[in-house]
Amino acid sequence: MGKNTTKSMVEGRPLPLILQFAVPLLIGNLLQQTYNIIDAAIVGQILGADALASVGASSSVQFLVLGFCIGTCCGFGVPIAKSFGAKDYEEMHRDIFHSILLTGGIAILLTSACAVLCPKILHILSTPEDIYLGAYQYLLVIFLGIPFALLYNLLSSILRSVGDSKTPFLFLACSTVLNILLDLFCIIVLKWGCAGAAIATVVSQAMSGLLCLFYIYKRIPVLHISKKQCRIRSHTVLTMLSMGLPMGLQYSITAIGSMVMQSANNGLGSIYVSGFTAALRIKQFLMSPFDALATGTSVFCSQNLGAGKINRIKTGIRQATTVGVLYGVFAGLILIFAGRTLSLIFIDKGAAAILDASAKYLKCMGFFFWSLAVLNIARMCTQGIGYSGRAIFSGMTEMIARTLVSLYAVPVFGFTAICFADQTAWISACFYIVPTCWLCIKKCEAYSRSNSPSTPSSS
């Protein structure tokens, strides 16, 4: 029971293993982004452009909070994957217990703080008055659903750490279908507006998390922990936090720059908020392969670090980056030549100004879209080999770049500056993280040669 769903990645050709792991992640990400697109289409076409702007007005702060949840849970998975690769199941069970304990504490603190601060957050984002109520209702419900987001992300991270990327995908697919059905029911039948869209999201997230929990309990005995392993150990707590918090902060720091950028864009008026929201959905959909490939490569690196196979790590990163860049060039051409057509999914063809804004944002992004492959893979692999503390500086670089563009370029060039803020952040972060990743691999190689059993510091 469960043996067929876990998979070691320390033997066999690197690229096929990474792609085999990444494909279910990719399909799951695409399903999630498909839901996001359908969600935005339902809101935009049924409730109108103002409602679409309400849902999108806080997208950067959602990324900040939920990104912290995702990053932290991914970080907790790094020691688990390393222990699994080394076949040290006793240590793996201790890591799982502490990841559950720490995630519970984070859920309580984060949900309470975000719910209380929700109005202030929307004020900081310069949310226009005509969309404020819808934005508040939507964001508050999303915040109250944080525990369910953490539940799914932690359990899916644990499953991926032992080589099972298919099961989280299947449960995500189920929740996506439920999400769409609930969207239609809550918005069209119950007429709950923007809050209905958020309720549909939270309920479907809860279902996917509970399905993961039930599956692990019934089918994956290697992940079951005993009572004797349920004791708090300060060393393990520090190890888990040294992996989880930097990865969570990595997402959040990146999002701070996005918040500053979104605040600057919100100040330009509802037309640009709607155009930006539509373009953001398309961007996130096309980014899904980058995320899946980077996550697969990161898990590959973690398991091979545990097995002491550094040369496989270098080969895997090199091959995965090549595949990612090729995809980035292809996707960039789609953004350049088909951005306006794709925007019609969310925006009525009569709203020419909004369509123009969305198409312009996507076209400018298309020329540099390939750089995301380099950035995501290098960053995730740096984290995957135990140096999450160093990877966090790539997020700081992105934050600084977006902030500078938003504060100094947007007042002069308006929406044109918004259209180049992301690319400036990506390229700037690449200049830091690529050599950093290479140096961290060299350090791991030195550890391996000296036969040190300990994991490199995350600093």
Side-chain angles (χ1 to χ4, degrees):
M1 298 284 284
K3 283 187 177 180
N4 293 331
T5 60
T6 61
K7 184 175 181 60
S8 173
M9 303 173 75
V10 300
E11 298 289 345
R13 291 187 297 163
L15 185 59
L17 285 171
I18 292 171
L19 293 178
Q20 183 182 12
F21 184 91
V23 165
L25 285 177
L26 170 59
I27 299 173
N29 288 343
L30 290 176
L31 280 172
Q32 184 64 39
Q33 295 308 324
T34 299
Y35 158 70
N36 289 338
I37 288 174
I38 294 173
D39 176 55
I42 291 171
V43 171
Q45 299 291 348
I46 295 176
L47 299 178
D50 283 349
L52 179 63
S54 296
V55 170
S58 60
S59 59
S60 60
V61 75
Q62 291 177 56
F63 176 57
L64 184 151
V65 176
L66 299 179
F68 177 80
C69 297
I70 294 169
T72 302
C73 292
C74 287
F76 289 160
V78 171
I80 297 170
K82 181 178 178 296
S83 299
F84 180 76
K87 300 187 183 338
D88 187 353
Y89 300 121
E90 186 74 18
E91 182 66 24
M92 182 182 75
H93 292 153
R94 285 195 290 267
D95 291 338
I96 291 172
F97 165 69
H98 285 82
S99 69
I100 295 171
L101 187 69
L102 292 170
T103 301
I106 291 171
I108 294 171
L109 293 174
L110 207 54
T111 304
S112 302
C114 289
V116 171
L117 295 174
C118 188
K120 196 169 191 67
I121 290 170
L122 289 172
H123 176 71
I124 292 172
L125 289 174
S126 303
T127 305
E129 285 295 326
D130 56 339
I131 62 173
Y132 177 86
L133 180 60
Y136 173 76
Q137 292 172 343
Y138 183 85
L139 187 60
L140 180 62
V141 175
I142 292 295
F143 281 162
L144 293 176
I146 286 173
F148 301 116
L150 280 165
L151 176 66
Y152 171 75
N153 281 289
L154 176 64
L155 297 180
S156 62
S157 177
I158 291 172
L159 285 169
R160 287 194 293 266
S161 296
V162 297
D164 183 4
S165 60
K166 293 180 181 179
T167 302
F169 148 67
L170 292 174
F171 294 151
L172 184 62
C174 293
S175 71
T176 300
V177 173
L178 176 63
N179 216 331
I180 294 170
L181 295 175
L182 286 175
D183 250 346
L184 295 170
F185 180 71
C186 292
I187 292 175
I188 297 176
V189 178
L190 299 179
K191 300 187 183 302
W192 285 350
C194 295
I199 290 170
T201 298
V202 170
V203 172
S204 60
Q205 279 182 338
M207 189 196 76
S208 60
L210 292 173
L211 284 174
C212 282
L213 182 63
F214 181 78
Y215 181 80
I216 290 174
Y217 176 73
K218 287 290 187 180
R219 301 295 301 273
I220 314 290
V222 73
L223 295 178
H224 294 179
I225 56 179
S226 62
K227 287 185 178 180
K228 69 175 184 179
Q229 293 155 341
C230 296
R231 289 182 294 178
I232 299 176
R233 294 172 171 83
S234 58
H235 172 73
T236 307
V237 169
L238 292 174
T239 298
M240 300 302 290
L241 290 177
S242 70
M243 291 292 108
L245 290 184
M247 289 184 74
L249 291 172
Q250 155 66 42
Y251 282 83
S252 295
I253 288 173
T254 302
I256 290 173
S258 297
M259 284 179 64
V260 175
M261 182 179 77
Q262 184 157 39
S263 178
N265 186 63
N266 287 352
L268 298 176
S270 298
I271 288 176
Y272 293 110
V273 176
S274 297
F276 179 82
T277 301
L280 190 64
R281 295 287 191 262
I282 297 168
K283 178 184 81 169
Q284 289 172 337
F285 185 87
L286 291 177
M287 282 172 58
S288 295
F290 294 135
D291 296 334
L293 190 60
T295 301
T297 310
S298 176
V299 173
F300 173 87
C301 291
S302 296
Q303 288 196 11
N304 280 278
L305 176 66
K309 298 183 177 182
I310 309 303
N311 284 333
R312 283 177 59 80
I313 292 176
K314 292 191 286 187
T315 301
I317 292 175
R318 184 171 60 250
Q319 294 177 350
T321 302
T322 301
V323 171
V325 169
L326 290 175
Y327 164 75
V329 172
F330 171 74
L333 292 174
I334 293 176
L335 292 172
I336 292 169
F337 294 108
R340 186 182 182 88
T341 302
L342 291 172
S343 299
L344 287 169
I345 297 172
F346 316 100
I347 304 166
D348 185 86
K349 62 182 180 180
I354 298 176
L355 279 171
D356 289 342
S358 179
K360 181 178 180 178
Y361 181 85
L362 294 173
K363 182 177 182 179
C364 294
M365 181 179 300
F367 291 103
F368 298 91
F369 205 59
W370 57 269
S371 64
L372 261 180
V374 180
L375 173 60
N376 282 9
I377 292 173
R379 177 157 58 204
M380 288 293 290
C381 290
T382 302
Q383 295 167 340
I385 59 178
Y387 289 92
S388 55
R390 297 194 179 189
I392 197 173
F393 288 104
S394 67
M396 293 181 66
T397 304
E398 283 193 74
M399 179 192 70
I400 292 170
R402 284 193 179 90
T403 300
L404 290 175
V405 170
S406 301
L407 293 180
Y408 298 105
V410 172
V412 179
F413 300 103
F415 188 69
T416 299
I418 296 292
C419 293
F420 285 97
D422 280 332
Q423 300 92 304
T424 303
W426 298 338
I427 297 295
S428 300
C430 280
F431 279 116
Y432 165 77
I433 196 60
V434 171
T436 297
C437 181
W438 179 255
L439 289 174
C440 290
I441 292 172
K442 288 293 185 183
K443 283 199 168 190
C444 289
E445 201 167 29
Y447 273 99
S448 180
R449 286 173 180 169
S450 63
N451 296 316
S452 172
S454 59
T455 304
S457 167
S458 63
S459 63

